[in-house]
Amino acid sequence: MTDLRELYQQVILDHTKKPRNFHEMANATHHAEGYNPLCGDRVTVYLLVDGDTITDVSFTGSGCAICTSSASLMTQSLVSKKIDEATQLFGTFRDLVMGNVEADQTIDELDRLAVFTGVREFPMRVKCATLPWHTMKEALTGGAATISTE
Amino acid sequence: MTVPLETSVSESKATASRGGVFDVQKVRADFPILGREVNGRPLVYLDNAATAQKPAAVIDAIDSYYQTYNANIHRGVHRLSQLGTQAYEEARGKIQRYINASSTREVIFVRGTTEGINLVAGSWGRENLRAGDEVLVTHMEHHSNIVPWQMLCQQTGAVLKVVPIDDRGRLDLDQYEKLLSDRTRLVSVVHVSNVLGTINPVRRIIDSAHQVGAKVLVDGAQAVPHFSVDVQALGCDFYVFSGHKLFGPTGIGVLYGQEAILEAMPPYQGGGDMIKSVSFDKTLYNDLPYKFEAGTPHIVGTIGLGVAVDYLGALDAVAVARHEEDLLRYGTELLESIEGVRLIGTADEKASILNFVIEGVHAHDVGTILDHGGVAVRTGHHCCQPVMDRYDVPATARASLAFYNTRGELDVLAGAVREAIGVFRS
């Protein structure tokens, strides 16, 4: 059962049970909704952007452990990032969970997000991990559509 | 599974081989896939309500068709076309006898339950519904028995009404009787719920509907895999089911309709095979059942379904029912004994479907952890979002059983459920 533990790492379980920045944001400059209708994961991402810098991030919603913890860890990792840095981080994160790159090549950039390395062994769950990120990107690009990764 | 009264007529079939000992290992040997491993563990296939596995006889029949007599049917005088046509029409006869339709003209081959319902909505519905008419469905319907009627109501101005269900997953029959009126044109009801497992009293539902002059369509997708159905004894106007849930191929299903009703209905799709003659001035439609089978059909699927029905017919129906009933009881007790597990769908009249949620563990995480142990279950909303809303859950895990499952497999399921709980309590 080792690879199961690699998916459900302690950090992931911790963020599932106690999601960080889990609230609406009244003064958000950007927000968007993500929804995967087949599995029921639902997330709304709020961002406060000052110039081209993200100064605050939060989320609401309900979903599986992978989606919830991914959203929670994403909110922590985006604070103080420039918009283009956030977009690039998303690309690296997506490459990590889809198995497009060796995990050790991304470790510096992703830092704690590397706990999601195990997702690549579970292709059906990639969409859970990336839903919050796609939603974040949609919020930043000002789209009004609800995002889905299914 | 408890066999409800209205299906007892089918025991004429069951009494052909009367309630001997059910040798589940012998039956399992008929299904090659059950011998494989998943993630290094023996496959425990508990997703039968999504699709059932196929016996070797069905797989061989498909192989044999393509290897030895592949040809188009109902045309061509050559030998292979004759063989294909014969096998195709023999399959229709097998289905007719299996569901006790009065004629092969009442057996229309479609892609599956969904297409069968859409055919009735698109043909019978458009012809017969007017603004203000009512279509009655229940709160436990699959999306495929909701959306076609919503579309039809939008087109015709008819109104969709919903029969409520109670906390255990039973239809509120008092409300049903109250909802019936002379405005009710059609009742479309699921025979066995794919999520809750509830076996609905369709005979009574049909009788009540007929008293107000309404027609009744029964969605039998989840019923036919568990017990044999006699459409004449039920008295339904339409009965639909899918081949792949009945241990046959995907892409083939059956619409049964009473002949007089089908006769009066306009064609659903136009094309080859559904016509007698075509000119630019006038086209003559073909007779039943071909009027509703435009284009080259799923020939091999139909032949495979016929073989699946042969296979099922050769089983000891009483022993099968008793075995499934035992599995349902055993599985229910096992899951209920695990703290944090809640079963959703606990009607007395129930097919062998165990639908559950685990406190603090999302259904998709349950699915992943179970899969890791070789256990295949379905997780999600099961194409029944209104049911999820009714019980206020975003998704559930569903173990749906077939006659080839065993108590041992349910022990593996219970162990994997405990493991899922363990992961999230650590």
Side-chain angles (χ1 to χ4, degrees), chain B residues 109-367:
Chain B
F109 287 120
V110 289
R111 280 188 297 155
T113 305
T114 298
E115 191 179 46
I117 295 171
N118 276 278
L119 192 162
V120 174
S123 171
W124 182 89
R126 286 219 216 178
E127 187 80 358
N128 289 283
L129 283 194
R130 301 287 174 268
D133 287 346
E134 291 177 359
V135 174
L136 216 51
V137 297
T138 82
H139 205 116
M140 68 173 83
E141 299 307 321
H142 190 282
H143 293 165
S144 62
N145 200 20
I146 299 172
V147 182
W149 307 118
Q150 285 176 327
M151 291 162 61
L152 179 64
C153 287
Q154 279 168 4
Q155 289 158 356
T156 59
V159 180
L160 189 67
K161 298 266 177 167
V162 183
V163 182
I165 54 178
D166 70 11
D167 288 343
R168 292 177 62 191
R170 296 171 299 190
L171 282 183
D172 184 337
L173 291 171
D174 290 340
Q175 278 301 315
Y176 167 63
E177 303 283 350
K178 283 180 189 152
L179 283 165
L180 282 174
S181 74
D182 56 7
R183 291 185 302 278
T184 313
R185 303 286 289 140
L186 179 82
V187 176
S188 195
V189 61
V190 70
H191 199 164
V192 172
S193 161
N194 68 312
V195 180
L196 304 166
T198 312
I199 302 174
N200 286 318
V202 286
R203 175 83 172 269
R204 175 177 163 186
I205 289 167
I206 292 162
D207 288 347
S208 298
H210 284 169
Q211 278 172 25
V212 299
K215 300 280 186 268
V216 181
L217 181 148
V218 179
D219 167 1
Q222 302 292 345
V224 288
H226 295 291
F227 48 81
S228 47
V229 167
D230 181 330
V231 291
Q232 292 191 70
L234 289 179
C236 54
D237 301 285
F238 302 104
Y239 197 97
V240 289
F241 59 94
S242 299
H244 71 100
K245 296 186 200 289
L246 193 62
F247 313 95
T250 56
I252 189 69
V254 173
L255 163 66
Y256 157 83
Q258 288 190 15
E259 186 169 348
I261 301 171
L262 291 174
E263 199 66 69
M265 282 161 54
Y268 171 56
Q269 294 180 326
D273 248 15
M274 54 75 70
I275 46 83
K276 277 182 172 164
S277 69
V278 176
S279 75
F280 287 111
D281 295 328
K282 185 172 173 58
T283 289
L284 273 181
Y285 301 135
N286 208 337
D287 298 327
L288 291 174
Y290 311 109
K291 183 172 80 174
F292 293 107
E293 294 180 1
T296 297
H298 186 8
I299 303 166
V300 74
T302 307
I303 294 168
L305 179 58
V307 173
V309 161
D310 283 343
Y311 177 86
L312 294 170
L315 293 176
D316 179 339
V318 172
V320 164
R322 199 185 292 144
H323 175 65
E324 279 197 50
E325 200 174 334
D326 174 70
L327 288 177
L328 176 61
R329 197 183 310 115
Y330 185 73
T332 302
E333 285 168 9
L334 266 182
L335 290 179
E336 282 181 337
S337 72
I338 302 172
E339 199 188 328
V341 173
R342 178 163 65 100
L343 284 170
I344 295 179
T346 53
D348 295 326
E349 299 285 343
K350 223 187 124 175
S352 52
I353 289 173
L354 297 160
N355 179 52
F356 61 97
V357 291
I358 303 177
E359 198 185 325
V361 189
H362 192 278
H364 280 93
D365 299 309
V366 176

